[in-house]
Amino acid sequence: MAPTKRFEGCAVLITGAGRGIGEATARRLAAEGAAVLLTDIDGERAAKAAAALRAEGLTAEAALCDVADREQTDAAVATAVDRFGRLDVLVNNAYSFHQDPESLEDVRDEDWALDLDITLTGALRCARAAMPHLEAAGGRGCVVNIGSVNGEQDFGAHAYSAAKAGLASLTRTLAGQCAARGVRVNLVAPGTVATPGWAGREASLQRAAEHYPLGRVGRPEDIAAAVAFLASEDAAWITGVTLPVDGGILIGNVGLRGALRAGRPRTP
């Protein structure tokens, strides 16, 4: 069955799109008719991903973009508008992640600052550059931020979690400010997703899956589908929301439930 063309005639810019969730989102939106600019701090990786989409008959271009650099974010938006003639959707997917050290005293200022700068401030830089063009989309413009369940509950990673929580707050404040300009702003909060960043740690993913009520970790395509919904006109009356796409992890505690049920007969 051919995909629905909800994005026919639309132009999309995605950050951190060289692989994982960003690449899957680019493929999903392009398959639905969008012209997509894949940006990444690794320009070669973005170019390879865009070439793969073009080989599938989809419309995709690539650009280098470090969202920590205002000049590069401004240039990426200008590139999208130059190549496609417009910009309708911005997907802020780029992030930085540093694992917590064993002791709080060993948290490094530079790691904390980088995670917040890329994950949170980078999204603001991109939204700021894109907003005039999103407004010009005549009510079609929208921003979809990629957050995390880490921004909703404690799953460790101080800086990354703080940045994702800040991104959820920024989503709400931007939604309130930009609604009058005809631009919607929403956020998708993924749970654990099997991306290339987990390479070599497949055993950890398998253990994590045991704690998800739906019995598995996420796939990049799960997140891409949610982004496609929030970016589409199917969500035309939705703004300022955080949509968990998390296999139920925020509403279930499999480990505790199992402990409490140990030795008890199953209820019908």
Side-chain angles (χ1 to χ4, degrees):
M1 181 182 295
T4 303
K5 298 291 186 178
R6 292 183 292 183
F7 297 95
E8 197 74 58
C10 292
V12 178
L13 188 158
I14 305 175
T15 65
R19 63 180 188 174
I21 290 171
E23 182 181 13
T25 300
R27 175 170 281 102
R28 175 63 183 256
L29 299 185
E32 291 201 33
V36 181
L37 181 67
L38 292 81
T39 75
D40 201 281
I41 194 171
D42 185 331
E44 184 177 339
R45 189 161 62 195
K48 183 178 179 180
L53 295 186
R54 289 195 299 273
E56 298 173 22
L58 304 175
T59 303
E61 300 289 342
L64 173 71
C65 182
D66 178 357
V67 300
D69 186 318
R70 181 171 184 173
E71 289 187 4
Q72 289 194 34
T73 56
D74 290 351
V77 169
T79 296
V81 174
D82 179 63
R83 295 186 186 180
F84 304 139
R86 58 187 295 134
L87 182 61
D88 303 272
V89 179
L90 167 67
V91 180
N92 282 314
N93 175 64
Y95 71 94
S96 175
F97 175 90
H98 284 87
Q99 191 63 259
D100 290 336
E102 288 296 323
S103 172
L104 179 62
E105 289 86 344
D106 293 329
V107 172
R108 303 194 313 165
D109 285 1
E110 53 266 39
D111 294 343
W112 174 273
L114 184 61
D115 282 6
L116 266 68
D117 190 33
I118 298 294
T119 308
L120 177 57
T121 310
L124 174 64
R125 291 186 186 100
C126 293
R128 179 175 57 198
M131 196 55 59
H133 305 287
L134 299 177
E135 181 179 13
R140 184 65 182 82
C142 69
V143 178
V144 181
N145 295 319
I146 306 300
S148 172
V149 294
N150 283 59
E152 306 299 316
Q153 288 187 12
D154 171 27
F155 294 99
H158 297 306
Y160 173 81
S161 298
K164 291 296 190 180
L167 188 56
S169 179
L170 179 64
T171 296
R172 294 187 289 271
T173 57
L174 284 179
Q177 182 178 23
C178 299
R181 302 174 72 172
V183 178
R184 298 181 300 107
V185 186
N186 292 295
L187 179 141
V188 174
T192 307
V193 178
T195 64
W198 285 91
R201 294 186 291 160
E202 289 77 11
S204 295
L205 284 177
Q206 186 173 354
R207 288 192 298 270
E210 298 173 1
H211 295 278
Y212 277 82
L214 290 183
R216 66 171 175 88
V217 298
R219 306 180 185 100
E221 293 77 14
D222 295 320
I223 312 309
V227 174
F229 165 65
L230 287 175
S232 76
E233 292 190 295
D234 290 338
W237 210 45
I238 299 174
T239 196
V241 306
T242 290
L243 173 62
V245 183
D246 67 349
I249 196 66
L250 291 178
I251 54 90
N253 190 320
V254 174
L256 178 58
R257 187 184 299 114
L260 294 175
R261 287 180 176 174
R264 296 183 181 181
R266 289 185 176 272
T267 55

